[in-house]
Amino acid sequence: MSKVAIITGGGSGLGQATAVRLAQEGVNIVVVDVSEKGGHETVEMVKKLGVDSIFVKADVSKQKEVKNYVEQTVKQFGSIDYFFNNAGISGSGKFFLDTTSEEIDQIVGINLLGALYGVRYVAEVMIKNGGGSIVNTASSAGVIGQDSVVTYSATKHGIVGLTKSMVAEYAKDGLRVNAIAPGPTETPMVKTFYEANPEMKENATRGIPQKRLGTPEEVAELVTFLLTSKAEYINGEVIRIDGGFTNTK
Ligand SMILES: NC(=O)c1ccc[n+]([C@@H]2O[C@H](COP(=O)([O-])OP(=O)(O)OC[C@H]3O[C@@H](n4cnc5c(N)ncnc54)[C@H](O)[C@@H]3O)[C@@H](O)[C@H]2O)c1
């Protein structure tokens, strides 16, 4: 039987690249995104690789919409084997005291509450069916402190806590939960952020020992490894994929 994966933020960047990589392994893909354009684009891309795929539009910060994408997946495919809990936004890059409370609410709502709601509903289905594998997207900013991203960093440190504590509670039920902590990776989100803050791109590249940004395909390879049975005894880990960036801080 083909495996089934839900990918939030599947319409772009890391989510889209992972959808393609998992489809190459024969995994059926449920693409979840607020963007209909991106979501449908990914569905078309993976269908060309011969797997079954649907798009479910959802704003992950809205609990009802999260519940709905889980229900739609079960209705269509009967189970959930893999969950790439990945949708997120970066914020404006302003110093914290210049940040509006609306921006704080938005980043926390999408990056942290969205991830918590996702695990809440997906894990319930996985455990009922005997287990499953979850990868949450943290960030370099989830393992070290950085300026200009205080709220973002708080949400990504939250993702790390979610990952470790879920394992403490549910590994015994067949659940594996890991996180990835990518450094700057060339996705549309980062391009937009660096266009608004060009000096930060130069700084970022200078601070990476390998002197380049990561690629979505490199991250997709890691996520695919962690999700599948090749990583069967890896649980509660936060894997950095950042060209050595955070290890030299
Ligand atoms: N690109 C990087 O350098 C980098 C580094 C570390 C962590 N991350 C994290 O990786 C994840 C993916 O980022 P990306 O770089 O691929 O960005 P991206 O902007 O290319 O893709 C993010 C996708 O999430 C969707 N999305 C945004 N808000 C949403 C919401 N409320 N509900 C549902 N979908 C929503 C967007 O429409 C988009 O398709 C994010 O959690 C981000 O914080 C990215």
Side-chain angles (χ1 to χ4, degrees), residues 8-16 32-36 38-39 57-62 65 84-90 106 109-111 137-141 152 155-156 180-192 194 213-214 216 219:
T8 67
S12 177
L14 305 186
Q16 186 171 74
V32 174
D33 209 294
V34 268
S35 159
E36 290 189 24
K57 184 174 177 175
D59 175 345
V60 298
S61 68
K62 305 213 164 88
E65 297 185 25
F84 185 29
N85 193 14
N86 164 74
I89 57 167
S90 62
Q106 194 194 21
I110 296 172
N111 293 9
T137 302
S139 166
S140 295
Y152 180 81
T155 64
K156 294 302 186 179
I180 54 162
T185 310
E186 287 192 75
T187 64
M189 177 175 106
V190 159
K191 282 182 190 148
T192 310
Y194 282 148
L213 304 189
V219 175

Side-chain angles (χ1 to χ4, degrees), residues 8-9 34 59-62 66 69 83-92 102-119 135-139 141-142 149-163 189 193:
T8 67
V34 268
D59 175 345
V60 298
S61 68
K62 305 213 164 88
V66 172
Y69 75 64
F83 179 39
F84 185 29
N85 193 14
N86 164 74
I89 57 167
S90 62
S92 64
E102 287 78 17
E103 182 178 333
I104 294 172
D105 288 354
Q106 194 194 21
I107 298 174
V108 172
I110 296 172
N111 293 9
L112 187 55
L113 292 180
L116 283 161
Y117 298 152
V119 169
V135 171
N136 298 315
T137 302
S139 166
V149 288
V150 168
T151 309
Y152 180 81
S153 175
T155 64
K156 294 302 186 179
H157 276 75
I159 293 284
V160 170
L162 163 67
T163 301
M189 177 175 106
F193 184 75

Side-chain angles (χ1 to χ4, degrees), residues 15-26:
Q16 186 171 74
T18 301
V20 168
R21 184 65 192 83
L22 283 171
Q24 288 166 352
E25 300 292 317

Side-chain angles (χ1 to χ4, degrees), residues 2 13 48 59 115 117 122 125 161 198 245:
S2 293
K48 279 189 190 141
D59 175 345
Y117 298 152
V122 169
V125 174
F245 171 55

